[in-house]
């Protein structure tokens, strides 16, 4: 289909749209309502596991280990009392007992999996063998009784740093959830319970743990979204008012915004796609995108109104859309290509869905911009905008247009300087990219003054840590774990883990056996070691079961004594620290542990987090490259020129490198919130380049302006529209800088920086590059004469006329 066919098709399409405007608007309303009706059913997913593909081996194995040992991400309640007696006094121990009983009653808490001083047992040697009894059946009533409990607990190494701080000034209640997806409600219930707790002076209660992080995050992002989205919409509305200074110019784009956001979120809910932490940024992204097409259409509309005020509204609208449908369609396709790159290249479901539904939103914004918006404008009487006026047959350029015109003139005169500066920034960007650090920590999602952050800090300071790496040991036969050699291998593995940074302790069946051996050997300290006879090991377990519950070991060993779990405790959830431990443990297991008779595999939260964050780093540059390639392909296809595609990509590639420089030199991590910035900055920033090139093609190729003359026309018109498009996007994303969710702050800031770089590059580097290389695609086809930007206007017109006459003669000859 040639250009003439496209123009005929477009004209007929917009004639049809404006012929039945009320029908079009009604259909738009039905589409909005049909999608938005699903939004209340949108479900949140704040789990760490959401960021790893469900078929990833690390996740599958972790789930298998959970089924065997019943290990899940817990809620952790810390009771702190820094008085002389610490937590070992009648009041605090009564508080521990009360909280333990009440926590077990909360819906979705497994009552059999609540662990505290009120539930755990001491192992005592007796004349008849072994006695397993609770540290206390009822809270002590005297300090002397509390001191006895302290003596028993502090003499049990397994609990130190794990259930009780080594100083005795804090203790934990660990509760596991039945359904991890309901963490938000459980966390809220725990906070309510803590508020009711009968605390005494000096006692403090903190709630943390991986389960609590997931739970609080749901409430956190809800409050954030309810605050941010209206602010973003208000800012966009103010920008529209400044740009057009009319009611229709302010309100009609908001209708497109409503359709875009409502459709994307509604379809997401209809297909049962969860709302993730990073999805919180999607409405803001879509608001900025949705308004862009409206700004360009309305800019052209008001120009047409000023030029032909005697025409009917329908005539003005059709003429406007005939001129604008192509550039907004090209920008829509290139933006969709950018988001498609994010979706295809990412391996993490939240990012895949973000790219997919952002792409859907872009498509809906385009659909409403070419149907509902012109339909609505055709129903309204023509009313000029104060920003677009003609006086004495000349445009009255407002202050924004004048500023852009002056800027364009400077760029045209100093294009060599512009290109040299661009090269310098590009080199700096490459250097910054090499300084990027892949890192993440879930707790950094929250502000530092949040109670959950303070709780996490206190718990990791006073205890060995609440970040768990599990090592699952597997033997060949049932009861192989009675073999002292296998037990010694596990002991050696625990000893090695203790040498690694941020590892403060570990727990396994070995620790219980050592305590049993000591208890049965007159409680001598030197007897805290493994028994050397497999029959003795079996006997210890039998003796334990006589007065204790064999289920006490369900987190450490399976029923057949073939599988064992070693839980390693770390005091940090930072990826770079976890990476050292995971890789060191894997190396140790491979080189020093695994044999034909016994082997081990890593599992647990730390291992899963290590793998999905590693995937994040591996996929980031791939998604950027794919987004750039797709944008280049789409631009080349639409403009029918590979060179045009390359020039289109230059400003967005420049913006990505600029952000890398900012991140690298500012020490900003490549993490959840920041990893998507590049693909999104490409998808959004390419609009500036496309509109600039499309307008230059019209001015030079069709209206026969010289380059400098085209620049003088481009900047106060298209440049002005791009300025407000830029302002809408930057201020819209700037709203995210006020977010309470730290990754969204960084994400919004970096995208705003990227969009700013794209806009500036499109207004400087792109025209400077075009002036320097003088690409053929800007000029009529079959041009054999080199048309330079410095040619006079009359010379250019005569040359272009001659070429067009020659082409018409060729066409007539062929038809004959």
């Amino acid at each position: 289909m040639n250009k003439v066919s496209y123009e005929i098709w477009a004209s007929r399409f917009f004639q049809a749209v404006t012929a039945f405007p009320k029908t079009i608007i009604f259909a738009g309303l039905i589409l909005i309502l049909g999608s938005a009706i699903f939004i209340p059913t949108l479900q949140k997913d704040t789990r760490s596991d959401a960021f790893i593909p469900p078929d990833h081996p690390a996740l599958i194995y972790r789930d298998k280990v959970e089924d065997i040992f019943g290990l899940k991400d817990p809620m952790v309640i810390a009771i702190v009392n820094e008085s002389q007696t610490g937590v070992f006094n009648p009041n605090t121990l009564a508080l521990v007992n009360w909280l333990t009983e009440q926590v077990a009653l909360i819906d979705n808490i497994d009552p059999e999996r609540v662990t505290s001083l009120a539930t755990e047992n001491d192992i005592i040697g007796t004349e008849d063998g072994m006695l397993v009894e609770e540290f206390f059946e009822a809270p002590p009533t005297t300090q002397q009784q509390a001191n006895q409990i302290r003596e028993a607990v502090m003499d049990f190494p397994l609990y130190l740093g794990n259930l009780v701080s080594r100083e005795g000034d804090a203790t934990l209640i660990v509760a596991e959830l039945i359904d991890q997806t309901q963490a938000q409600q459980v966390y809220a219930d725990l906070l309510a319970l803590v508020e009711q707790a009968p605390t005494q002076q000096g006692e403090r209660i903190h709630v943390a743990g991986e389960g609590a992080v997931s739970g609080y995050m749901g409430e956190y992002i809800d409050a954030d979204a309810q605050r941010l989205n209206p602010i973003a919409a208000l800012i966009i509305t103010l920008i529209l008012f400044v740009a057009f200074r009319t009611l229709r110019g302010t309100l009609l784009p908001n209708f497109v915004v409503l359709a875009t956001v409502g459709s994307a979120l509604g379809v997401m809910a209809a297909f049962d796609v969860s709302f993730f932490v990073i999805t919180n940024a999607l409405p803001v992204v879509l608001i900025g995108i949705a308004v862009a097409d409206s700004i360009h259409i309305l800019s052209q509309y008001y120009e047409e109104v000023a030029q032909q005020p005697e025409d009917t509204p329908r005539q003005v609208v059709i003429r406007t859309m005939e001129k604008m449908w192509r550039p907004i369609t090209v920008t829509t396709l290139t933006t969709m290509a950018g988001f498609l790159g994010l979706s295809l290249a990412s391996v993490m479901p939240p990012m895949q869905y973000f790219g997919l539904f952002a792409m859907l939103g872009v498509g809906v914004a385009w659909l409403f911009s070419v149907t509902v918006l012109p339909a609505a404008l055709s129903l309204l009487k023509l009313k000029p905008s104060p920003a677009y006026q003609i006086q004495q047959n000349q445009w009255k350029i407002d202050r924004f247009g004048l500023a852009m015109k002056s800027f364009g003139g400077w760029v045209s005169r100093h294009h060599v300087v512009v290109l040299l500066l661009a090269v310098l920034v590009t080199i700096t960007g490459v250097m910054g990219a090499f300084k990027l650090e892949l890192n993440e920590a879930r707790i950094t999602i929250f502000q530092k003054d949040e109670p959950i952050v303070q709780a996490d800090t206190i718990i990791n300071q006073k205890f060995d840590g609440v970040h768990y790496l599990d090592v699952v040991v597997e033997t060949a036969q049932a009861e192989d774990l009675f073999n002292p050699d296998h037990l010694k291998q596990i002991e050696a593995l625990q000893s090695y883990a203790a040498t690694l940074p941020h590892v403060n302790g570990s727990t396994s069946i070995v620790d219980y056996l050592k305590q049993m051996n000591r208890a049965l050997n007159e409680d001598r300290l030197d007897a805290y070691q493994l028994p050397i006879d497999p029959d003795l090991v079996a006997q210890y377990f039998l003796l334990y079961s006589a007065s204790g519950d064999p289920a006490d070991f369900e987190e450490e060993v399976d029923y057949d004594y073939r599988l064992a779990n070693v839980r390693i405790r770390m005091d940090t959830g930072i990826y770079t620290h976890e990476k050292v431990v995971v890789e060191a443990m894997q190396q140790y297991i491979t080189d020093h542990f695994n044999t034909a008779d016994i082997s081990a595999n890593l599992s647990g939260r730390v291992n899963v987090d290590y793998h999905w964050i590693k995937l994040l780093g591996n996929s980031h540059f791939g998604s950027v490259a794919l987004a750039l390639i797709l944008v280049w392909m789409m631009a080349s296809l639409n403009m029918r020129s590979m060179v045009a595609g390359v020039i289109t990509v230059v400003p967005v590639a420049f913006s990505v490198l600029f952000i890398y420089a900012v991140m690298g030199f500012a020490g900003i991590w490549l993490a959840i919130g920041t990893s998507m910035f590049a693909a999104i900055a490409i998808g959004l920033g390419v609009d500036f380049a496309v509109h600039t090139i499309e307008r230059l093609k019209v001015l030079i190729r069709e209206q026969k302006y010289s380059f400098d003359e085209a620049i003088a026309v481009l900047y106060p018109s298209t440049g002005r529209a791009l300025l407000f498009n830029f302002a809408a996007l930057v201020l819209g994303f700037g709203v995210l800088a006020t977010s309470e969710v730290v990754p969204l702050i960084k994400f919004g800031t970096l995208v705003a920086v990227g969009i700013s770089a794209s806009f500036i590059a499109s207004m400087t580097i792109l025209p400077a590059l075009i002036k320097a290389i003088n690409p053929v695609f800007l000029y009529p086809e079959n041009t054999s004469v080199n048309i330079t930007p410095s040619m006079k206007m009359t010379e250019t017109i005569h040359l272009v006329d001659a070429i067009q006459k020659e082409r018409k003669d060729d066409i007539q000859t062929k038809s004959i």
Side-chain angles (χ1 to χ4, degrees):
M1 188 181 290
N2 58 33
K3 183 178 178 182
V4 175
S5 298
Y6 278 125
E7 290 176 350
I8 292 173
W9 176 89
S11 179
R12 289 174 179 173
F13 177 79
F14 293 113
Q15 286 176 17
V17 166
T18 55
F20 306 98
K22 294 181 180 179
T23 303
I24 295 293
I25 295 171
F26 180 75
L29 288 170
I30 294 298
L31 181 60
I32 294 174
L33 294 175
S35 302
I37 196 172
F38 292 100
I39 292 179
T41 67
L42 201 60
Q43 298 293 319
K44 292 185 296 296
D45 188 348
T46 57
R47 300 170 303 128
S48 290
D49 295 347
F51 287 92
I52 191 167
D55 59 350
H56 193 282
L59 188 60
I60 292 173
Y61 187 70
R62 197 285 310 274
D63 291 342
K64 179 181 177 182
V65 171
E66 280 190 358
D67 292 338
I68 296 171
F69 298 104
L71 299 169
K72 295 184 179 179
D73 295 328
M75 297 279 188
V76 179
I77 303 173
I79 299 99
V80 180
N81 187 334
E82 295 176 336
S83 65
Q84 185 176 358
T85 60
V87 296
F88 294 100
N89 65 77
N91 289 331
T92 304
L93 291 176
L95 175 62
V96 171
N97 188 70
W98 183 87
L99 280 171
T100 302
E101 292 176 347
Q102 295 300 314
V103 166
L105 298 177
I106 292 177
D107 288 341
N108 201 40
I109 291 284
D110 187 346
E112 302 298 323
R113 308 284 292 191
V114 178
T115 304
S116 75
L117 284 176
T119 66
E120 292 305 279
N121 298 322
D122 193 9
I123 300 175
I124 305 169
T126 66
E127 294 181 359
D128 299 326
M130 183 189 302
L131 177 64
V132 179
E133 63 179 10
E134 295 177 339
F135 285 114
F136 59 88
E137 292 184 7
T141 56
T142 66
Q143 185 58 46
Q144 183 179 1
Q145 292 173 333
N147 290 340
Q148 292 173 350
I149 295 171
R150 178 191 179 96
E151 183 178 352
V153 172
M154 302 302 282
D155 197 38
F156 203 141
L158 184 145
Y159 292 120
L160 300 184
N162 181 13
L163 194 63
V164 180
S165 66
R166 299 181 190 279
E167 292 76 23
D169 60 352
T171 186
L172 297 179
I173 299 173
V174 181
E176 294 190 4
L177 281 66
I178 298 172
D179 182 0
Q180 295 281 345
T181 63
Q182 301 301 314
Q184 182 175 348
Q185 184 58 51
V186 174
Y187 180 72
D189 293 340
L190 283 177
L191 291 183
L193 180 64
V194 167
E195 287 294 321
Q196 302 169 14
T199 56
Q200 303 291 324
Q201 186 175 1
E203 295 172 344
R204 305 193 311 274
I205 304 176
H206 304 278
V207 182
E210 181 63 29
V213 170
S214 295
Y216 186 41
M217 201 177 299
E219 176 187 343
Y220 206 63
I221 64 177
D222 278 350
D224 207 52
Q226 291 172 8
R227 185 177 58 84
L228 291 181
N229 294 339
I231 295 176
L234 178 60
I235 288 175
I236 295 296
T237 301
L238 291 174
I239 291 172
L240 290 168
F241 179 77
V242 172
F244 303 115
R245 298 170 227 170
T246 65
L247 192 59
R248 71 185 66 178
T250 304
L251 298 182
L252 288 180
N254 275 294
F255 186 79
V256 178
V257 168
L258 181 65
T260 302
V261 176
S263 297
L265 296 183
V267 174
M268 183 184 295
F271 282 88
D272 200 26
V273 176
S274 297
F275 192 91
F276 304 99
V277 176
I278 59 173
T279 313
N280 227 27
L282 183 59
V284 176
V285 171
L286 293 178
I287 288 172
I289 291 171
V291 79
D293 289 346
S294 298
I295 288 176
H296 289 286
I297 290 172
L298 286 168
S299 295
Q300 185 64 42
Y301 168 78
Y302 282 118
E303 284 188 18
E304 298 293 336
V305 171
Q307 291 174 336
Q308 304 291 339
E310 71 283 354
D311 284 355
T312 65
R314 187 184 179 197
Q315 289 174 325
V316 170
V317 169
I318 292 174
R319 195 164 57 248
T320 296
M321 298 308 300
E322 286 175 345
K323 293 179 179 179
M324 293 308 303
W325 75 269
R326 177 177 168 78
I328 66 171
T329 300
V330 173
T331 56
T332 295
L333 292 174
T334 50
T335 301
M336 292 176 73
F339 285 118
L340 179 62
L342 173 64
S343 182
L344 293 178
S346 179
V347 295
M348 290 181 285
M351 294 184 180
Q352 292 173 340
Y353 288 128
F354 192 105
L356 182 64
F357 287 100
M359 186 173 68
L360 172 65
V362 174
V364 172
W366 173 84
L367 178 63
F368 273 71
S369 296
V370 298
T371 56
V372 176
L373 182 60
L377 288 173
S378 69
L379 289 174
L380 300 173
K381 293 181 179 180
L382 295 184
K383 183 178 179 181
S385 166
Y388 295 83
Q389 295 181 4
I390 295 178
Q391 292 182 353
Q392 299 178 352
N393 297 323
Q394 289 187 346
W395 280 108
K396 181 183 178 183
I397 304 175
D398 67 0
R399 65 186 66 181
F400 300 107
L402 286 172
M404 291 302 297
K405 183 178 181 180
S406 298
F407 184 57
W410 183 90
V411 170
S412 182
R413 292 191 301 274
H414 301 90
H415 66 283
V416 175
V417 175
V418 169
L419 293 176
L420 289 175
L421 288 174
V423 171
L424 179 63
V425 174
T426 300
I427 294 172
T428 305
V430 172
M431 294 171 59
F434 281 106
K435 290 179 173 290
L436 279 178
E437 179 185 12
L438 174 65
N439 211 351
E440 183 59 274
R442 284 259 286 174
I443 199 66
T444 60
I445 288 174
F446 309 105
Q447 299 286 344
K448 292 182 179 180
D449 59 352
E450 286 291 332
I452 197 167
V453 177
Q454 296 172 354
D456 182 78
T457 301
I458 290 171
I459 291 173
N460 283 315
Q461 287 175 347
K462 292 190 173 293
F463 298 89
D464 289 349
V466 291
H467 303 277
Y468 304 123
L469 174 65
D470 293 324
V471 183
V472 181
V473 177
E474 183 173 354
T475 59
Q477 303 292 330
E479 299 186 353
D480 268 1
L481 287 173
F482 292 166
N483 186 332
D485 290 336
H486 292 165
L487 294 172
K488 287 180 181 178
Q489 281 183 266
I490 296 174
E491 182 182 36
L493 182 145
Q494 289 182 258
S495 297
Y496 173 74
T499 67
L500 299 175
H502 298 285
V503 172
N504 299 310
S506 62
T507 302
S508 76
I509 196 63
V510 166
D511 300 292
Y512 283 100
L513 285 168
K514 287 181 179 180
Q515 187 69 14
M516 290 186 226
N517 194 64
R518 177 185 170 187
L520 292 170
N521 285 276
E522 301 174 350
D523 208 31
R524 299 195 319 269
L525 290 177
D526 63 345
Y528 189 75
Q529 57 184 333
L530 286 167
I532 59 174
D533 188 333
D535 292 334
L536 195 57
V537 174
Q539 187 178 1
Y540 282 0
F541 284 117
L542 181 62
L543 287 172
Y544 188 98
S545 64
S547 58
D549 186 352
D552 289 345
F553 306 132
E554 64 182 356
E555 292 187 0
E556 288 78 27
V557 67
D558 74 334
Y559 180 78
D560 293 328
Y561 295 95
R562 189 180 71 85
L563 303 175
N565 185 64
V566 180
R567 171 151 281 193
I568 297 170
R569 298 184 294 276
M570 296 182 62
D571 60 9
T572 176
I574 296 177
Y575 168 73
T576 50
H577 298 157
E578 293 179 335
K579 179 175 183 286
V580 171
V581 174
V582 169
E583 293 181 352
M585 288 301 299
Q586 186 59 62
Q587 192 67 42
Y588 177 87
I589 289 169
T590 302
D591 296 344
H592 304 289
F593 191 90
N594 288 348
T595 66
D597 299 322
I598 188 171
S599 61
N601 291 286
L602 298 181
S603 184
R605 168 56 48 205
V606 168
N607 185 60
V608 172
D609 286 351
Y610 163 78
H611 281 285
W612 75 255
I613 297 171
K614 186 178 179 181
L615 285 175
L616 173 71
N618 292 341
S619 65
H620 171 75
F621 292 104
S623 68
V624 173
L626 183 58
L628 286 172
I629 290 171
L630 289 175
V631 167
W632 168 74
M633 290 175 60
M634 193 63 67
S636 299
L637 183 64
N638 280 285
M639 298 182 189
R640 300 180 182 180
S641 168
M642 295 177 66
V643 174
V646 171
I647 294 176
T648 301
V649 167
V650 167
V652 289
F654 172 85
S655 71
V656 171
L657 285 174
F658 184 77
I659 301 175
Y660 283 153
V662 172
M663 291 179 65
F665 292 112
I668 299 173
W669 292 348
L670 181 63
I672 296 175
T674 57
S675 65
M676 295 192 306
F677 78 86
I680 292 176
I682 291 168
L684 298 177
V686 72
D687 286 11
F688 304 120
V690 170
H691 277 290
T692 301
I693 293 175
E694 283 287 332
R695 187 61 188 273
L696 282 174
K697 282 180 62 178
V698 171
L699 292 172
I700 296 174
R701 186 170 186 160
E702 298 179 12
Q703 298 183 18
K704 307 171 185 178
Y705 284 93
S706 70
F707 178 83
D708 290 334
E709 290 169 336
I711 288 294
V713 174
L714 170 77
Y715 275 78
S717 55
T718 301
R720 182 185 185 278
L722 290 175
L723 175 65
F724 283 101
N725 186 3
F726 155 72
L729 288 171
V730 167
L731 294 179
F733 278 97
V735 171
L736 292 177
T738 68
S739 170
E740 294 295 325
V741 182
V742 175
L744 290 184
I745 296 174
K746 295 178 180 178
F747 168 77
T749 302
L750 289 176
V751 172
V753 169
I755 290 170
S756 300
S758 289
F759 171 72
I760 294 171
S762 296
M763 295 287 97
T764 56
I765 298 174
L766 189 149
L769 184 63
I770 289 175
K771 184 170 185 176
I773 66 175
N774 194 27
V776 175
F777 73 86
L778 286 179
Y779 301 98
E781 296 178 6
N782 301 325
T783 301
S784 56
V785 181
N786 184 31
I787 303 176
T788 64
S790 59
M791 291 180 68
K792 294 181 180 180
M793 182 63 179
T794 55
E795 295 174 346
T796 304
I797 292 174
H798 290 319
L799 179 59
V800 172
D801 282 344
I803 293 169
Q804 289 181 333
K805 184 178 185 301
E806 181 180 348
R807 291 182 63 199
K808 289 179 181 179
D809 292 341
D810 289 342
I811 294 172
Q812 290 175 355
T813 302
K814 290 178 182 179
S815 64
I816 294 172

